[in-house]
Amino acid sequence: MTQPDTFAFIIHPIDPKKDVSRKWPLLGKVLTEGQINFFSRFFPPVYISEITGVRSIATGKTVTGWFIACPFTPYTMLHLPVETVYRKIVACGRKAESLGARLLGLGAYTSVVGDGGVTIAERLDLPVTNGDAYTIYMAVEAVREAARRMDLPMSSASAAVVGATGTIASVCAEILSREVPELVLVGRRPDALNEVRERCEGGMARVTVSTDIASVYPCDLILTVTSSVSSVIEPEHLKPGAVVCDVARPRDVSVRVAQARPDVLVIEGGMVEVPGPVDFGFDFGFPPGKSYACMAETMALALEGRYEDYSVGKHISLERVREIGAIAAKHGFRLSGFRSFERAVTDEEIARVRERAAATRRRGWSPG
Ligand SMILES: NC(=O)c1ccc[n+]([C@@H]2O[C@H](COP(=O)([O-])OP(=O)(O)OC[C@H]3O[C@@H](n4cnc5c(N)ncnc54)[C@H](OP(=O)(O)O)[C@@H]3O)[C@@H](O)[C@H]2O)c1
């Protein structure tokens, strides 16, 4: 008998009070962020919901999934011993196994901690993917689309990748180095930055490295994807008309940018339209029918019947990125509209950003 096509995906609270409220409104209201960070250590994995209606446009196949919550917050995951975090993620995986899942997707920080899923995959019977390959694919797609809508041809744009030594960012840098003439890699470790620069050589871009976030100031297009728990890009770092694609969760771009810089376009990277009448059974903060790219990777692999460890570890190859892009496109996953600070971005707003950028440039503007 053929087994049903199934998957599970691990989510976890990113904005502790807001995200805990999504499941337990009262607890989210009464507990402080510090209390949530503390108590989350003792919580078991939480069954969140069943996901139905994910249907391939190519084959008509439908897959069913489950959200399982790992109770840890980003702060807890970065501060607890990595072994403690692995044990909790493995417990989530066991819950997924007991539900009948055939593939486990690691969301947000559960894919960042330690070795990016290698240990988790070794300890579980079901295969694992950290979603990074499709996150990379969709992040670059979002940059291309935002550049197009802001009338910034990639072939003459300058770009920056922030957190450039990271798993997702380094491959985004490799792809962008083939499409733009100027690329700045921003990170904290010069040696590691130079290694990424070497991987980017031979493309179209003149590639430079920097450990100073202010180096993004001259850039038209900025893709940022660090694992910092606090913001790294502030209003004074951006020139008028800049496009910033923020793939990080929690965000890299300070909420001050939304308030102080109506002349720049900030978009969240990686929001994907899911094929079929999908019902997630849970509001994780996206409009109905949309998912994070890492979730979409898990669903696309289940639709393709690829029940294997797919994106695991801290190096994702360009071939994997291209392959998952093709698999997902075949089944009907698409770049969705843009969102910025949890709101949809309309064409009118993009037009207003362009007008304001032109006005700011006319007045003469320099970084603070
Ligand atoms: N939107 C989506 O669908 C999606 C999917 C998966 C992951 N994510 C998010 O993507 C982010 C990165 O994931 P990853 O797997 O690429 O992580 P990673 O491999 O651990 O890389 C993180 C990078 O961030 C840098 N970094 C950390 N703290 C920093 C700080 N304070 N200032 C500047 N740079 C800093 C690190 O620098 P060092 O090399 O110096 O340590 C490293 O280069 C996370 O926020 C994750 O939640 C989003």
Side-chain angles (χ1 to χ4, degrees), residues 19-291:
D19 290 340
V20 167
S21 300
R22 294 182 199 279
K23 179 77 180 164
W24 296 291
L26 187 64
L27 278 185
K29 198 168 168 190
V30 297
L31 294 179
T32 64
E33 191 165 322
Q35 285 168 331
I36 293 172
N37 281 331
F38 179 76
F39 289 124
S40 73
R41 297 171 195 202
F42 310 106
F43 246 73
V46 182
Y47 172 89
I48 296 287
S49 63
E50 184 173 272
I51 303 164
T52 56
V54 182
R55 188 167 63 210
S56 166
I57 58 165
T59 62
K61 189 201 253 184
T62 303
V63 293
T64 302
W66 298 273
F67 276 138
I68 315 270
C70 170
F72 291 164
T73 62
Y75 179 88
T76 346
M77 286 201 230
L78 286 184
H79 288 85
L80 283 176
V82 71
E83 184 54 38
T84 310
V85 182
Y86 283 157
R87 279 205 295 270
K88 191 71 85 181
I89 299 172
V90 168
C92 295
R94 296 256 178 263
K95 200 167 187 72
E97 284 170 349
S98 71
L99 288 163
R102 296 175 64 195
L103 177 67
L104 179 68
L106 304 177
Y109 262 59
T110 63
S111 71
V112 174
V113 279
D115 53 20
V118 176
T119 304
I120 307 297
E122 278 166 10
R123 293 185 186 177
L124 287 170
D125 295 328
L126 86 172
V128 166
T129 193
N130 63 28
D132 284 354
Y134 197 51
T135 299
I136 293 162
Y137 183 90
M138 272 296 159
V140 179
E141 273 290 292
V143 170
R144 292 187 191 114
E145 178 61 12
R148 191 185 66 75
R149 289 172 65 177
M150 285 285 281
D151 260 348
L152 287 166
M154 298 285 284
S155 57
S156 58
S158 53
V161 174
V162 180
T165 52
T167 312
I168 296 171
S170 59
V171 187
C172 290
E174 277 186 69
I175 300 172
L176 286 174
S177 70
R178 292 155 162 82
E179 300 182 26
V180 296
E182 293 283 336
L183 181 64
V184 186
L185 307 178
V186 184
R188 302 188 291 190
R189 295 177 294 127
D191 289 352
L193 279 170
N194 278 317
E195 277 172 33
V196 180
R197 184 176 55 73
E198 279 166 26
R199 275 163 52 191
C200 293
E201 264 161 16
M204 173 184 180
R206 189 179 75 92
V207 186
T208 51
V209 301
S210 172
T211 52
D212 181 3
I213 188 64
S215 317
V216 305
Y217 177 70
C219 298
D220 302 310
L221 308 171
I222 298 154
L223 194 161
T224 183
V225 57
T226 80
S227 57
S228 171
V229 286
S230 51
S231 51
V232 290
I233 297 184
E234 300 295 337
E236 59 274 19
H237 297 139
L238 302 169
K239 76 172 183 183
V243 170
V244 189
C245 177
D246 189 350
V247 186
R249 290 292 167 277
R251 282 191 201 98
D252 282 344
V253 179
S254 160
V255 36
R256 286 177 54 230
V257 173
Q259 293 146 2
R261 298 299 305 274
D263 58 338
V264 303
L265 177 65
V266 180
I267 54 162
E268 291 171 10
M271 189 166 77
V272 176
E273 200 172 302
V274 178
V278 57
D279 180 358
F280 290 108
F282 178 68
D283 173 13
F284 54 89
F286 271 14
K290 321 272 179 178
S291 83

Side-chain angles (χ1 to χ4, degrees), residues 306-326:
R306 292 282 294 268
Y307 296 112
E308 63 192 47
D309 294 333
Y310 194 80
S311 304
V312 282
K314 291 276 177 186
H315 182 73
I316 306 292
S317 70
L318 276 176
E319 290 68 37
R320 272 271 120 131
V321 175
R322 289 191 195 109
E323 183 186 57
I324 191 66

